Amino acid sequence: MSSQDALILDGLTKRYGDFTAVRDVSLRVPEGSIYGFLGPNGAGKTTTIRMVLDIVKPTSGTLSVLGQPTAMAVRERIGYLPEEKGLYKKMKAWAVIAYFARLKGVSGKEAKQRAHELLERYGLGAFADKKVETLSKGMGQKVQVLASIAHKPDLVILDEPFSGLDPSNQQVMEDVISDLNKAGSTIIFSTHVMSHAERICDRILLIAKAEMVFDGTIEQAKALIPRLVRIGGVEASRLRSLPGVGDVMPSEESPGVFEVVVADGHDPQEILRACMREGIELSSFESGEPTLHDVFLHLVGDDAKVAAYR
Amino acid sequence: MNNAIHIATREYAENARTKGFWINMLMFPIILLLSVKVPKLLEEKAKPVRQFALVDQSGLLGDIVRDAVERDYARLVMEKIGTYAQTYAKDKAAVSAETLEKTAMPSDFAGRVKEFMDYNEELMQQMMSPEAIEMQLSMIKPSLVEDAPEFEMPRRRYDEVDLSGLTGADLDLATAEPSEIVRALRPALVDDERLEGMEQPLFALIVIPPDAFEQILDPSIGNMANAPEPQDGIQFWSTNLTDMALSNLIERALDRELQKREYVANGLDPKQVSLIRSTTFQFSAFDPKKKEGEEAVSVADTMRKWAPVGFVYLLWVAIFTVVSFLLNNTVEEKSNRIIEVLLSSATPWEIMVGKLLGIAGVGLTMMTAWVLSLLGVLKFIAGPEVEWAGALFEVIQSSGLLPLFALYFVCGYLTYAGIFLAIGSLCNTVKEAQNFMGTATVILMVPLFTMVFVAQDPNGALATFLTWVPVYTPFVMMNRAAADPPMAELLGTGALMLVTIVFMLWLSSRIFRIGVLRTGQPPKIVELVKSLMTPLNHQ
């Protein structure tokens, strides 16, 4: 076991009776990284997180959290934001943050001070003395995020931190994550929105139907799917004759445009140069990076939809 | 364990801030205060002067009724003079616990004296004359404080309405059938219309038929068979069926008059008879458990015997008030999913202990407030009308019931807190929790239903049986506290209760662990037992 890994999962499995929620998940989260748990709803992300936090016991498999076999032993170094958000409605915003910090071993005075600092820094200074029930949903969620990190945890686990936030608050959330990461924390968060993961994750775990589908960097993930260029104004047969061109399919969205798979070992520039050399007049040439969303659909495909409706 | 303390502190602070807590805490002293003051206020101010109409066709009994009403007022005036004298006395002759210890329980002697007075109209009338009252007041004057206000004559309780000319020319009250009189006055009685000059409905109508002396009930054998019909006798008409004071007053006075005549007819002197009737033996109760020479059952003994009933009630209210706080909090944490954050910061055991301690603190605060306000009301506010109140408190204090009360509160709380915490952890809304408890509530009410019976027979079969039911032990033991239950029973049931508490807390912590992360409907009992048998890593 490397001390460089904040979290190591080995063959982690959770069964509820006949139902398997998580099957044989193994991974390493390096210290100081931002790690995304991606997958459709019901894939097993939350169960995995609960096992990591020692809230539910794994049926089999082992784990190491900050070098310890259970999270309870290092709970003061872990911050957790659950998927379903909720706070004590009758407490004041600062008091909620301070309370959860105290449970993580921060002294009373320090906890109060940090609560006020955090509220100030993330634009909620004016609401510090307001009761939670009077805050808007978004503000309440921000307070809860702050409550989960006020003790300066080494490992932060955020379950769906972006859900329910408007775009500007989603940006604040991204800022919180990158601030924490800069301060040296390891961050694990789950989401089913790929764009967030793509922007801020170093590594991702893709999980579907209780099983892990992929674990690695974003580049590695994108390399999994063939690169596509979209070319317009030319016959499919001529395209096929060009070097570096793999499959050619007519685009479903725009007639006259073909989606061309770039063959292994080639890149889109090569195809463009070949077109120029051959004197082919193109009406359009689009070469986009594949998004994580494409990777997701490619790897999970129809399962995602099935899972989403369950 | 630090976390348990943090959780306890938060629970305490949050609950101590709720309206419910303050309402519960203040309700008791307020009710106490009201129950001391309001009946008196109502008696003096709110209860209207009852106005009644009297139709006497016998020509003999009307004045008897009027005299009785006068005597009733006379007694009221004397009572008020007594209260007045006590309220403004320079040296208040406070009743101490010691006097209560020595005062034997009164027999019905006071009632006999009253009856004797009723037969002695002259004596009563003498005391009632304005001069007599003036004299009484001047006699007590020297013992009153300087700034005592003037004595105010109390309001009359009953007033007779003058019917002459009110019922119309076509009705001659002296000869009309009772039914006709009732028909004429029914609108006034049911308040359809008011009699002239009256601001309130007619409270009662009394009709005495001309042959009233023939319509009597005589218990001698043979006469009961041809008892007169109700409508042939004296009639008391009123829509108010609960305030029987006036009808009792009149009935007693009329019967007395009848009996007086019977005495005379049989050659007896009614005064002599009343004196004889008021003569009694000295008959006293003794308790063999008391110290030799002081075995007479005193007022204090009687108070001590009944005080536990009050404590059982307080105990019951206090325990179920605070455990319902516990239930609500747990349901809130569960439905808000705060519990997940807590579980990532503390073990389920720490969370449970923290909640139990925090709410126990709330309960103890409330009880302390109750006991203090009981002391306050009894000692400082109650006044002369409940002069025994301070003494009652001293008796309670000296009886050793208070420490027992605290002990049984803790035991009872721990027994029920676990159950309610477990129920809370299984439910998503308070409503669900209430449904879940369902008939359980009836079972919990048993100590309340039985508290009077247990006090009457504190070492009897019912008391003994209930003591051995662990969930009732704290209440029933409190109930029996004054009766020195057998030591073996005390220890046995105490041990059983402790085992139960430990088992309940252990079981609740298991249920709590499973319950808090469950979503959806509360489980069926079978499901619950099944999941309790499953090891944690398969749940």
Side-chain angles (χ1 to χ4, degrees), chain A residues 14-17 46 50 53-59 72 75-76 78 80-91 99-100 102-106 144 159, chain B residues 1-4 6-8 10-11 14 17-18 329 332-333 335-348 350 355 513 517 519 536-539:
Chain A
K14 181 67 188 177
R15 271 193 291 275
Y16 293 99
T46 297
R50 284 181 176 179
L53 287 161
D54 203 23
I55 293 175
V56 298
K57 303 274 180 211
T59 309
M72 252 322 133
R75 64 190 184 202
E76 295 181 356
I78 300 176
Y80 171 49
L81 175 75
E83 179 182 6
E84 281 172 82
K85 318 293 187 281
L87 290 169
Y88 294 107
K89 293 194 193 93
K90 301 280 178 197
M91 282 176 91
Y99 172 60
F100 285 116
R102 292 213 71 185
L103 285 180
K104 297 286 195 180
V106 180
Q144 191 169 4
D159 200 352
Chain B
M1 220 51 217
N2 262 347
N3 275 350
H6 292 324
I7 291 170
R10 198 207 71 85
E11 289 283 340
E14 171 147 329
R17 265 197 288 262
T18 57
N329 275 26
E332 189 204 356
E333 275 167 2
S335 60
N336 276 350
R337 312 305 300 168
I338 297 168
I339 201 71
E340 267 198 76
V341 186
L342 286 181
L343 283 171
S344 74
S345 310
T347 60
E350 283 173 329
K355 293 177 79 66
R513 231 201 131 108
L517 285 174
T519 47
L536 276 176
N537 57 354
H538 286 279
Q539 276 161 8

Side-chain angles (χ1 to χ4, degrees), chain A:
Chain A
M1 264 191 215
S2 159
S3 65
Q4 298 303 301
D5 290 323
L7 177 67
I8 303 168
L9 307 184
D10 189 11
L12 213 56
T13 299
K14 181 67 188 177
R15 271 193 291 275
Y16 293 99
D18 295 334
F19 174 69
T20 305
V22 174
R23 178 179 294 131
D24 196 23
V25 169
S26 303
L27 60 86
R28 285 163 182 269
V29 178
E31 248 174 37
S33 63
I34 301 181
Y35 207 105
F37 280 15
L38 311 184
N41 297 331
K45 297 178 303 248
T46 297
T47 305
T48 307
I49 286 173
R50 284 181 176 179
M51 281 191 283
V52 169
L53 287 161
D54 203 23
I55 293 175
V56 298
K57 303 274 180 211
T59 309
S60 62
T62 59
L63 46 91
S64 156
V65 186
L66 297 171
Q68 296 294 322
T70 68
M72 252 322 133
V74 285
R75 64 190 184 202
E76 295 181 356
R77 295 169 59 199
I78 300 176
Y80 171 49
L81 175 75
E83 179 182 6
E84 281 172 82
K85 318 293 187 281
L87 290 169
Y88 294 107
K89 293 194 193 93
K90 301 280 178 197
M91 282 176 91
K92 288 176 180 169
W94 76 263
V96 173
I97 298 175
Y99 172 60
F100 285 116
R102 292 213 71 185
L103 285 180
K104 297 286 195 180
V106 180
S107 78
K109 205 178 144 197
E110 174 105 33
K112 183 174 179 179
Q113 196 187 332
R114 281 196 209 167
H116 282 287
E117 272 171 23
L118 282 170
L119 286 167
E120 203 64 51
R121 179 164 5 137
Y122 293 103
L124 290 171
F127 299 97
D129 282 323
K130 288 267 187 305
K131 280 190 184 169
V132 169
E133 62 188 349
T134 67
L135 302 181
S136 72
K137 194 177 169 224
M139 281 196 274
Q141 202 166 326
K142 264 156 85 177
V143 169
Q144 191 169 4
V145 172
L146 299 181
S148 64
I149 61 167
H151 57 295
K152 300 188 176 159
D154 296 324
L155 174 62
V156 183
I157 299 175
L158 309 168
D159 200 352
E160 297 283 358
F162 298 102
S163 73
L165 293 178
D166 62 27
S168 73
N169 276 320
Q170 289 185 3
Q171 188 52 52
V172 173
M173 191 66 230
E174 283 189 23
D175 293 345
V176 172
I177 291 175
S178 73
D179 288 351
L180 278 171
N181 189 236
K182 273 181 212 139
S185 301
T186 307
I187 290 143
I188 297 171
F189 73 90
S190 79
T191 183
H192 59 271
V193 182
M194 298 303 141
S195 57
H196 297 298
E198 191 166 1
R199 270 203 296 282
I200 53 180
C201 285
D202 301 322
R203 292 175 70 89
I204 56 166
L205 166 77
L206 199 54
I207 190 168
K209 282 177 127 184
E211 284 185 78
M212 51 188 289
V213 180
F214 173 81
D215 170 32
T217 64
I218 297 211
E219 288 71 36
Q220 286 167 342
K222 286 182 178 172
L224 284 179
I225 59 169
R227 296 202 61 177
L228 286 180
V229 286
R230 295 150 74 82
I231 301 172
V234 60
E235 292 298 313
S237 55
R238 286 208 68 183
L239 278 173
R240 288 205 180 88
S241 67
L242 296 174
V245 169
D247 272 356
V248 176
M249 302 152 288
S251 164
E252 282 169 21
E253 294 124 50
S254 30
V257 174
F258 293 94
E259 292 183 343
V260 176
V261 175
V262 182
D264 281 347
H266 298 269
D267 73 60
Q269 290 303 317
E270 240 180 287
I271 298 173
L272 183 60
R273 276 199 297 279
C275 288
M276 311 265 266
R277 213 167 41 234
E278 303 266 319
I280 301 169
E281 294 216 354
L282 302 175
S283 60
S284 68
F285 185 92
E286 259 181 74
S287 156
E289 279 264 300
T291 63
L292 210 47
H293 188 73
D294 299 328
V295 179
F296 181 74
L297 288 181
H298 177 78
L299 289 176
V300 179
D302 289 339
D303 290 350
K305 287 170 199 156
V306 174
Y309 285 115
R310 202 174 45 196

Side-chain angles (χ1 to χ4, degrees), chain B residues 172-193:
Chain B
D172 181 4
L173 286 175
T175 55
E177 281 292 310
S179 57
E180 286 177 287
I181 300 169
V182 171
R183 202 174 304 128
L185 284 168
R186 196 190 295 269
L189 281 167
V190 301
D191 202 20
D192 276 349
E193 61 189 55

Side-chain angles (χ1 to χ4, degrees), chain B residues 474-518:
Chain B
F475 299 110
V476 184
M477 268 305 178
M478 183 77 243
N479 215 337
R480 303 172 62 187
D484 301 320
M487 193 45 94
E489 225 174 283
L490 206 65
L491 294 178
T493 55
L496 183 64
M497 181 172 65
L498 283 182
V499 170
T500 310
I501 289 173
V502 171
F503 173 73
M504 280 296 182
L505 288 180
W506 171 82
L507 185 71
S508 322
S509 76
R510 290 292 308 267
I511 297 178
F512 184 75
R513 231 201 131 108
I514 300 163
V516 282
L517 285 174
R518 267 185 74 99

